[in-house]
């Protein structure tokens, strides 16, 4: 039966964050010489053999092509979060299942990847003392099951009493979630009076999905011989299942890549894993124990990180679309909706330009591995659906904005027509009274005697005064017809174009316009009249 020769598992916890508050570079500890040391130190994720242009994506060079900050836990800080002082030291892991014995597990490293898209990944790298393949799958399952606090680590913490010169050992237990929360407490900050202080509530700045999802799992297994049940093993690693889950090849699809005779890649939405085994060729064995083992941590993991970032960055931007308010009739609200939709569209283009790439290597099987990941995580379909959704939303918002503009224009025209009617009536009445009075006085002075009613001059005066009224009445009728047309148009827009008979429609239009005037008087913000 095949045993494990070399192995590791990386548990990757996706999250979104507020860049101004998540500042691991600012977190410091005091060294033995009372000098401040950073809790996390920058590093560059390995990318040997990838094509030119990709090297800077996850580097620490600070160049314009860099899309993420890569940081790893300072070894001197391990004891502050209740980890053994050395990466190779083990803790005792207790699964929640009573019939599974506690196992020795080493947490060899903790890393942070903080992308410019405000998507981050916290990596917990573990190594197991057990050489059993079944126990490897079981530990992956239970450590990744972070919702249950019954899955926990335990260790004896050593403290030294200088006076008695004796060591005491204190038992300490913690879950993976408690470990992560302890780290966040150290690297999240509030700003008070212009200074950084530890955050009172780190959860408001960093959003993990503990309750809904398990972490992604990326693992490597090098076995002493080819296992008889390679299909079962690929299934359990692909789904991150323990051994009690049974595999049926006829109804379960497992995405795999078989680049070498003795090596398999498998990928799913749960992560990616490699299974390799030793052969009778010592040169081949030396390659898989050394160079290939390191490549799984560098090149292959580099591509895996970029693919899961692509997926989660798309999901985050789609979440921004979901936060947009519902469609309405307020111009200011809809104009803001349109602005935010266009911002999402710009972010999508920028994401594609900065973080998406094809053919990362001149090595064929590396490109095939990257294609497997992109297919498994449905990156192209997700991005195309995402951009189409943004395009549709932008079109809808723009249509609403234009309709609201047209509606406001009609309301302004209607108000202007009413104003012109009132001005015409008032102006005409004043002008006619003034004209009649002045003309009467002028005629009396001209003839030298009082003007007689029903005389020819009187009728001439009446005709001269009344004649302009016809033009005014014609203009008022024109404005009134325009008001009716605009009122009916506004009514039809409000009622989605429903058409009734003329008498019913006129009644409803009058009631509708009366309601609009009432709303305007009460200053309802969503109606402009």
């Amino acid at each position: 039966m095949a045993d494990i020769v070399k192995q590791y598992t990386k548990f990757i916890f996706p999250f979104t964050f507020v860049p101004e508050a998540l500042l691991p570079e600012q977190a410091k500890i005091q060294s033995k010489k009372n000098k401040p040391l950073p809790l996390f130190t920058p590093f560059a994720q390995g990318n040997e053999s990838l094509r030119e242009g990709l090297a800077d994506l996850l580097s620490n060079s600070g160049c314009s092509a860099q899309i993420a900050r890569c940081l790893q836990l300072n070894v001197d800080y391990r004891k502050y979060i209740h980890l053994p002082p050395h990466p190779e030291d083990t803790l005792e892991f207790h699964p929640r299942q009573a019939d599974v014995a506690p196992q020795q597990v080493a947490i060899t490293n903790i890393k942070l990847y903080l992308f410019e898209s405000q998507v981050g990944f916290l990596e917990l790298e573990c190594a197991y003392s057990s050489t059993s393949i079944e126990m490897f799958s079981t530990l992956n399952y239970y450590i990744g099951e972070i919702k249950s606090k019954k899955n926990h680590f335990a260790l004896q913490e050593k403290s030294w009493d200088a006076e008695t010169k004796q060591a005491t050992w204190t038992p300490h237990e913690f879950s993976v979630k408690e470990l992560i929360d302890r780290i966040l407490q150290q690297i999240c900050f509030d700003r008070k009076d212009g200074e950084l202080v530890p955050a009172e509530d780190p959860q408001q700045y960093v959003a993990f999905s503990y309750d809904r999802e398990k972490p992604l799992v990326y693992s490597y297994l090098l076995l002493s011989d080819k296992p008889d049940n390679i299909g079962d093993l690929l299934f359990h690693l692909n789904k991150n299942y323990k051994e009690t889950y049974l595999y049926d090849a006829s109804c379960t699809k497992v995405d795999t890549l078989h680049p070498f005779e003795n090596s398999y890649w498998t990928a799913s939405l749960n992560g990616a894993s490699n299974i390799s085994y030793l052969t009778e060729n010592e040169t081949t064995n030396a390659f898989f124990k050394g160079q290939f083992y390191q490549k799984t941590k560098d090149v292959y993991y580099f591509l895996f990180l970029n693919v899961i970032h692509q997926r989660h960055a798309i999901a985050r931007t789609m979440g921004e679309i979901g936060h947009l308010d519902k469609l309405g009739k307020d111009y200011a609200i809809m104009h803001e909706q349109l602005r935010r939709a266009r911002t999402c569209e710009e972010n999508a283009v920028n994401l594609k330009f900065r973080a998406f790439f094809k053919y990362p290597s001149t090595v064929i099987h590396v490109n095939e591995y990257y294609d497997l990941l992109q297919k498994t995580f449905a990156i192209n379909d997700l991005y195309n659906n995402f951009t189409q959704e943004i395009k549709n939303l932008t079109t809808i918002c723009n249509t609403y904005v234009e309709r609201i503009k047209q509606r406001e224009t009609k309301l302004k025209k209607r108000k202007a027509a009413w104003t012109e009617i009132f001005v015409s009536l008032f102006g005409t009445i004043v002008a006619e009274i003034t004209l009649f009075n002045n003309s009467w006085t002028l005629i009396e002075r001209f003839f030298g005697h009082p003007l007689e009613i029903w005389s020819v001059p009187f009728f001439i005066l009446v005709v001269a005064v009344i004649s302009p009224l016809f033009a005014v009445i014609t203009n008022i009728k024109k404005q009134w017809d325009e008001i009716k047309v605009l009122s009916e148009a506004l009514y039809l827009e409000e009622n989605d174009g429903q058409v009734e008979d003329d008498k019913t429609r006129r009644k409803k239009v009058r009631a509708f316009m009366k309601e609009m005037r009432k709303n305007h008087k009460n200053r309802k913000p969503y109606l402009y009249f």
Side-chain angles (χ1 to χ4, degrees):
M1 184 177 179
D3 291 324
I4 297 176
V5 178
K6 298 189 79 169
Q7 50 82 18
Y8 66 82
T9 297
K10 295 175 182 284
F11 296 95
I12 301 135
F13 300 87
F15 60 89
T16 57
F17 64 95
V18 178
E20 296 79 12
L22 183 63
L23 302 168
E25 298 93 335
Q26 300 298 324
K28 308 287 183 182
I29 57 172
Q30 295 296 323
S31 68
K32 295 179 180 179
K33 297 181 180 180
N34 290 325
K35 292 184 178 180
L37 296 177
L39 304 187
F40 282 85
T41 56
F43 75 98
Q45 176 61 38
N47 48 41
E48 184 184 352
S49 80
L50 295 181
R51 65 172 172 81
E52 186 179 359
L54 299 182
D56 292 324
L57 293 182
L58 302 183
S59 69
N60 61 353
S61 62
C63 67
S64 60
Q66 183 178 338
I67 63 172
R69 291 139 54 206
C70 305
L71 305 124
Q72 59 186 348
L73 182 69
N74 190 329
V75 175
D76 295 330
Y77 179 61
R78 291 174 62 90
K79 61 182 180 181
Y80 290 91
I81 55 173
H82 303 292
L83 291 181
H86 304 105
E88 65 274 10
D89 294 341
T90 61
L91 303 89
E92 200 170 65
F93 177 73
H94 295 256
R96 62 174 173 80
Q97 199 73 19
D99 58 354
V100 181
Q103 298 294 316
Q104 295 299 313
V105 176
I107 299 178
T108 57
N109 209 340
I110 297 176
K111 297 179 180 179
L112 281 170
Y113 300 89
L114 306 178
F115 287 82
E116 63 186 13
S117 61
Q118 298 180 29
V119 169
F121 301 99
L122 188 149
E123 172 201 313
L124 203 70
E125 183 176 332
C126 297
Y128 310 141
S129 298
S130 172
T131 59
S132 164
I133 298 175
E134 291 77 9
M135 184 54 65
F136 182 85
S137 298
T138 300
L139 287 173
N140 282 353
Y141 178 84
Y142 283 117
I143 294 177
E145 193 183 49
I146 58 177
K147 290 189 295 184
S148 175
K149 291 186 177 181
K150 293 182 179 179
N151 297 316
H152 66 274
F153 291 94
L155 78 159
Q156 297 287 331
E157 290 188 316
K158 180 181 178 181
S159 58
W160 178 258
D161 191 325
E163 293 183 1
T164 62
K165 296 183 179 180
Q166 291 183 347
T168 57
W169 298 86
T170 306
H172 184 74
E173 296 181 354
F174 61 89
S175 65
V176 173
K177 184 179 183 302
E178 290 170 337
L179 173 63
I180 294 175
D181 290 343
R182 198 175 299 135
I183 294 172
L184 291 181
Q185 190 66 53
Q186 301 294 329
I187 61 177
C188 289
F189 295 89
D190 291 326
R191 289 188 180 273
K192 292 185 179 179
D193 299 326
E195 295 185 358
L196 292 175
V197 296
E200 295 180 1
D201 181 16
Q203 302 300 331
Q204 65 179 317
Y205 301 125
V206 180
F208 285 91
S209 53
Y210 291 131
D211 298 331
R212 297 190 304 275
E213 300 175 4
K214 288 186 174 183
L216 295 163
V217 177
Y218 179 92
S219 61
Y220 172 74
L221 267 181
L222 179 61
L223 306 178
S224 59
D225 197 0
K226 181 178 181 179
D228 297 330
N229 57 341
I230 187 69
D232 292 358
L233 185 53
L234 287 169
F235 166 75
H236 288 103
L237 292 179
N238 180 276
K239 305 298 183 184
N240 192 24
Y241 287 162
K242 55 183 178 177
E243 286 297 314
T244 53
Y245 287 83
L246 302 180
Y247 171 59
D248 184 354
S250 63
C251 61
T252 305
K253 183 179 182 298
V254 178
D255 291 332
T256 59
L257 176 66
H258 192 185
F260 306 109
E261 179 184 344
N262 64 324
S263 184
Y264 299 81
W265 282 103
T266 182
S268 72
L269 293 178
N270 300 309
S273 299
N274 178 270
I275 304 174
S276 301
Y277 57 87
L278 299 180
T279 66
E280 297 179 357
N281 190 311
E282 290 304 321
T283 302
T284 301
N285 294 344
F287 170 75
F288 278 91
K289 287 180 180 179
Q291 190 176 355
F292 186 77
Y293 170 82
Q294 191 58 44
K295 281 182 177 292
T296 62
K297 287 192 170 187
D298 293 341
V299 176
Y300 293 99
Y301 190 57
F302 175 95
L303 296 176
F304 178 76
L305 279 173
N306 277 280
V307 170
I308 61 175
H309 167 248
Q310 292 164 7
R311 182 177 178 87
H312 284 271
I314 293 172
R316 181 188 178 279
T317 311
M318 291 183 76
E320 291 181 355
I321 297 175
H323 291 155
L324 294 178
D325 299 327
K326 64 180 181 180
L327 302 176
K329 297 177 182 178
D330 188 293
Y331 177 79
I333 292 176
M334 290 309 302
H335 191 272
E336 175 63 15
Q337 295 280 73
L338 179 60
R339 186 195 66 78
R340 292 169 64 185
R342 285 174 174 167
T343 300
C344 288
E345 194 171 16
E346 292 171 2
N347 291 340
V349 174
N350 184 63
L351 177 66
K352 184 73 177 284
F353 176 73
R354 297 274 292 167
F356 282 62
F357 53 87
K358 290 185 176 294
Y359 309 112
S361 174
T362 57
V363 181
I364 294 176
H365 67 261
V366 173
N367 289 334
E368 291 174 342
Y369 163 79
Y370 182 68
D371 291 341
L372 171 68
L373 294 179
Q374 288 226 313
K375 176 185 175 183
T376 300
F377 285 90
I379 299 300
N380 292 330
D381 290 343
L382 193 62
Y383 183 82
N384 291 336
N385 292 338
F386 164 59
T387 52
Q388 186 61 46
E389 185 174 341
I390 292 179
K391 183 179 179 181
N392 293 342
L393 178 63
T394 304
T395 302
I396 291 172
C397 288
N398 191 56
T399 301
Y400 265 70
V401 168
E402 292 301 320
R403 286 175 61 184
I404 292 171
K405 280 184 178 179
Q406 294 173 5
R407 184 172 181 272
E408 289 188 342
T409 301
K410 291 174 183 176
L411 288 169
K412 289 177 181 178
K413 285 183 177 180
R414 186 180 180 279
K415 186 175 181 180
W418 274 115
T419 302
E420 188 169 343
I421 288 175
F422 290 128
V423 169
S424 297
L425 285 173
F426 181 76
T428 301
I429 292 171
V430 172
E432 291 295 309
I433 292 173
T434 303
L435 176 63
F436 186 84
N437 186 51
N438 293 338
S439 298
W440 186 289
T441 303
L442 184 62
I443 291 174
E444 285 183 338
R445 288 180 182 178
F446 180 79
F447 286 102
H449 58 79
L451 185 63
E452 295 180 3
I453 299 176
W454 312 120
S455 63
V456 174
F458 175 79
F459 281 108
I460 293 174
L461 175 59
V462 171
V463 171
V465 171
I466 293 177
S467 296
L469 289 177
F470 291 104
V472 173
I473 293 171
T474 301
N475 184 53
I476 290 175
K477 185 179 183 304
K478 178 182 177 183
Q479 297 300 325
W480 178 250
D481 290 340
E482 184 175 0
I483 287 172
K484 289 198 297 183
V485 170
L486 291 171
S487 297
E488 289 199 13
L490 290 167
Y491 170 76
L492 291 174
E493 286 181 8
E494 188 72 16
N495 292 274
D496 299 325
Q498 296 179 7
V499 179
E500 301 97 351
D501 59 89
D502 292 343
K503 185 177 180 181
T504 304
R505 186 173 69 253
R506 283 195 296 271
K507 286 183 178 180
K508 289 187 175 182
V509 168
R510 286 194 294 271
F512 171 69
M513 299 313 298
K514 183 178 180 181
E515 181 66 21
M516 290 190 72
R517 287 193 294 274
K518 181 180 177 182
N519 289 335
H520 176 66
K521 184 177 180 181
N522 295 332
R523 303 296 183 188
K524 293 283 183 74
Y526 53 87
L527 290 174
Y528 292 84
F529 178 73

